Amino acid sequence: MTSETSAAMRRPTHAGVRRAATKIAALLPPTPVFPVEIDGMTWWLKAENLQPIGAFKIRGAWHRLSDLSEAERERGVVGVSSGNHAQGVAWSARRLGMAATIVMPTDAPAAKLAATRDLGADVVLYDRPGGEDRDVVAAALVVQTGATLVHAFGDPWVIEGQGSLAIEAVTQLREITGDAPRRFIACCGGGGLTAGLALACPDAEVVAVEPEGWDTVGQSLAAGVPVPVSDASKRTICDALQPPVTKAINVDVLKANNVRALTVTNAEVAAAMRFAFTRLKLVVEPGGAAALAAALAGKIAPVESTVITLSGGNVDPAMFASILTEVV
Amino acid sequence: MTSETSAAMRRPTHAGVRRAATKIAALLPPTPVFPVEIDGMTWWLKAENLQPIGAFKIRGAWHRLSDLSEAERERGVVGVSSGNHAQGVAWSARRLGMAATIVMPTDAPAAKLAATRDLGADVVLYDRPGGEDRDVVAAALVVQTGATLVHAFGDPWVIEGQGSLAIEAVTQLREITGDAPRRFIACCGGGGLTAGLALACPDAEVVAVEPEGWDTVGQSLAAGVPVPVSDASKRTICDALQPPVTKAINVDVLKANNVRALTVTNAEVAAAMRFAFTRLKLVVEPGGAAALAAALAGKIAPVESTVITLSGGNVDPAMFASILTEVV
């Protein structure tokens, strides 16, 4: 592994986010920003569910993989993901002509497993409900093959790449309203996106929204070091937001930038998905609706120029149908 | 009624479409255009389901209502609609400070009825399944109140307004690919949108897609005059595309511009809605998915620079859920 591309040897930076944003602007059109009235104020929804892979994760994966050396590209990559990062890595690897192996949980949504395989990646399953450690499975693959590990959130390139969302949103909101975003409300799993947003816009406030019971980032911000979730058997519908523990690289960035965290319930997330269906005509997956759920539930006092991430839309049809027709 | 705003006294024109497009560009941001690969070719989807009212009908309604004289505005408007034109008229009337009464069928989707009332319009119901003539109901209201009738498709302003979609798409596609659209595939009820597209882009081919059994436009193009559907009890899931008969003003424009028509089945429409859900993360209503259905079913040979309208997304949650989980 070259020193340029070793994840252990560098910290994510604002300059890195800007470089990622330039690379991503050359690759992908900006995702739309839609206004929505909540409690008499206009909030701005960044529709990352409309990315080619249906989620913002394409950003970090592309920044990471496209920075690999020729030698590294030949050995391929290993990703660890509940489904959206998987597709980001698989999409980027295919575009760059590299091999990709993705470690995914047995209980990942069928749509995410199928989409990852359709993008040409090898999928290796691990037993998440049974408590198997995905990082151990991935490490073994890396040792076997010499491939580069691309972590879903605890990686400096991935953090920088996700931060490109904010650079894009600044340009878009300025065009529409003349003002830059003052606050980002973002769906949060391990803290890759929120760390990227904080690095991208140090003057804006960043709020991390986690599912109830899966608040590793909130707990870790309070403790100053990564704290695992206390009960990994607790049920959340937000399959994309349930890493057992965040990483020090994420906690460090989030703490340094005064990011705060809060949680939403399954019912609040389901209500936000129904709102997106009815009012916005957008398909948003549970984990992609967490930030909107916090806003709709009144858990964050409104301020002008707030950007809310709709992070992804990869949801199984049966799950979506049940959320539309029942109270989850 | 002033001569300037009498629907009976003018024909829709290309210049009128351009004027409508300028007015609408000042009012609404362009709806996104998304690429999609079908059979190895990139087609372009114009996402009108993302309009503020969830459908393209806001275009024609705005062009019509904003052209009314002060005296006409005071007397209000009467619209006739299965739901999307209703919302377009109600939205525009509220914005202009006018009263709006909408004649809607008893079997309109609950979401469309509720949204129209939420926009401040009075809703008068007629018995569509029982064969009541909505035009008669509307005419009586016009006589009573002196309001201006705003027909859903047989009106020169409405046709011109809908055509603004094409002017917008030309700019967008040129920015992305350098080429103007060569073909529009459009969902078709009474022929307002297709007539507008044909006037907007006389050099492009326009294909009208109707639901099987509700091909009043196809039949009328063959006959040269408006021909009613032969069996108005035939079931279609495309509630937005089932006027009993088109109008001469539409047939005249469509024939003069060599528009051709074809039909799609309920199963093809449902498949297109599932495609939009899975691949695009967009909520599209049955009538808004007809054009995409024709493309996916291979009913139109692909050509470069084809724009497909996703005309609307106003669908009841239970209906959408059943289409996601069953074969309709």
Side-chain angles (χ1 to χ4, degrees), chain B residues 138-161:
Chain B
L141 286 166
V142 166
V143 169
Q144 275 168 34
T145 61
T148 300
L149 179 69
V150 182
H151 197 273
F153 54 86
D155 177 290
W157 282 266
V158 169
I159 289 170
E160 289 172 349

Side-chain angles (χ1 to χ4, degrees), chain B residues 163-190:
Chain B
S164 69
L165 183 159
I167 305 293
E168 205 174 280
V170 167
T171 303
Q172 292 174 301
L173 203 64
R174 279 214 178 110
E175 268 174 24
I176 303 171
T177 71
D179 295 319
R182 286 177 54 193
R183 179 188 280 164
F184 289 91
I185 307 176
C187 308
C188 183

